Amino acid sequence: SQQGEEDPQALSIQEGENATMNCSYKTSINNLQWYRQNSGRGLVHLILIRSNEREKHSGRLRVTLDTSKKSSSLLITASRAADTASYFCATGYGSEKLVFGKGTKLTVNP
Amino acid sequence: DAGVTQSPTHLIKTRGQQVTLRCSPKSGHDTVSWYQQALGQGPQFIFQYYEEEERQRGNFPDRFSGHQFPNYSSELNVNALLLGDSALYLCASSSIVKREGVDTQYFGPGTRLTVL
């Protein structure tokens, strides 16, 4: 079964706009990671946030984590057509298995 | 520095056949995990190998088996293939010893398996 659930399932925006995706999970975690996948290919690691962190930035990406609500959000600012992909959150504990959600399909229109 | 590599890229098999998929981890990594991703779904954990032993296993039948070699590369074997085994199979590597990237798992491009 999948622990993470991303919301929305699909998101379509114009280039230059911001995109926000949310992830909810069920059990306690050690860390939460976001991955990007282009057209059913391999997953690209975007950012990892630990359970004792509340916010993390990487370039145009901003991730927040609220362990009390068991939720996380991924914000992509000033989106580009190249950001078109599926985005997955994955919860993990140490080097153990990752549990993925079903993903958010983001389309950025030029 | 080579990333995670997988072979083959695509594979077509018929029901009842057996298949072997291969994975080479990122340089310096000692742990390999395998995931199955059905169309439109997120990846599902199959199992993880460390020090040539299966360290953890997901909810997959015994038809799915694996192996890790002394050079840390790994194979995934699936016996008695079913139509439902059609999926993208992803390999991910990480380092338990080095704790590189704070437990980040790096994924390969995947092997697309089609069972007819």
Side-chain angles (χ1 to χ4, degrees):
Chain A
S1 62
Q2 293 176 291
Q3 162 151 258
E5 289 291 337
E6 290 90 344
D7 171 60
Q9 291 186 340
L11 181 61
S12 181
I13 60 174
Q14 295 300 121
E15 212 166 21
E17 294 181 337
N18 295 342
T20 299
M21 289 158 266
N22 302 298
C23 168
S24 60
Y25 57 92
K26 298 173 185 174
T27 64
S28 297
I29 60 171
N30 178 258
N31 63 67
L32 187 144
Q33 305 182 44
W34 284 90
Y35 286 84
R36 184 185 74 223
Q37 185 176 42
N38 292 82
S39 302
R41 302 183 70 181
L43 295 162
V44 174
H45 183 263
L46 296 176
I47 198 164
L48 178 151
I49 186 166
R50 302 187 197 193
S51 58
N52 62 353
E53 297 175 314
R54 292 296 167 259
E55 187 171 314
K56 207 162 182 179
H57 296 255
S58 177
R60 294 184 296 113
L61 306 179
R62 172 178 168 255
V63 169
T64 62
L65 179 65
D66 187 335
T67 53
S68 66
K69 295 182 179 178
K70 291 187 170 59
S71 67
S72 173
S73 68
L74 170 67
L75 168 67
I76 304 174
T77 60
S79 63
R80 305 165 182 168
D83 295 328
T84 294
S86 291
Y87 291 81
F88 295 90
C89 70
T91 52
Y93 190 88
S95 290
E96 304 293 319
K97 67 179 183 181
L98 293 175
V99 180
F100 287 84
K102 292 184 179 180
T104 291
K105 189 171 183 179
L106 173 66
T107 301
V108 181
N109 301 299
Chain B
D1 180 23
V4 181
T5 60
Q6 291 186 244
S7 63
T9 305
H10 295 88
L11 205 50
I12 299 175
K13 293 285 187 178
T14 56
R15 281 178 295 176
Q17 285 190 312
Q18 177 263 341
V19 68
T20 297
L21 310 181
R22 295 176 176 82
C23 171
S24 291
K26 191 173 183 287
S27 179
H29 284 183
D30 53 24
T31 303
V32 173
S33 303
W34 287 93
Y35 294 80
Q36 179 196 65
Q37 185 179 21
L39 199 62
Q41 301 293 314
Q44 295 276 318
F45 175 78
I46 303 175
F47 42 55
Q48 184 182 81
Y49 277 84
Y50 170 67
E51 291 190 333
E52 303 180 51
E53 296 283 335
E54 185 181 288
R55 186 166 175 260
Q56 195 176 13
R57 189 180 181 93
N59 189 25
F60 278 80
D62 292 344
R63 297 186 299 108
F64 289 77
S65 63
H67 188 78
Q68 185 179 36
F69 299 94
N71 66 352
Y72 307 119
S73 67
S74 176
E75 288 183 349
L76 164 65
N77 301 292
V78 186
N79 295 321
L81 285 167
L82 304 173
L83 295 179
D85 295 332
S86 294
L88 180 68
Y89 288 84
L90 295 162
C91 167
S93 76
S94 55
S95 176
I96 287 179
V97 174
K98 288 184 180 179
R99 310 296 285 185
E100 180 185 289
V102 196
D103 311 319
T104 296
Q105 292 192 18
Y106 295 87
F107 283 79
T111 294
R112 174 73 62 186
L113 172 64
T114 302
V115 182
L116 302 176

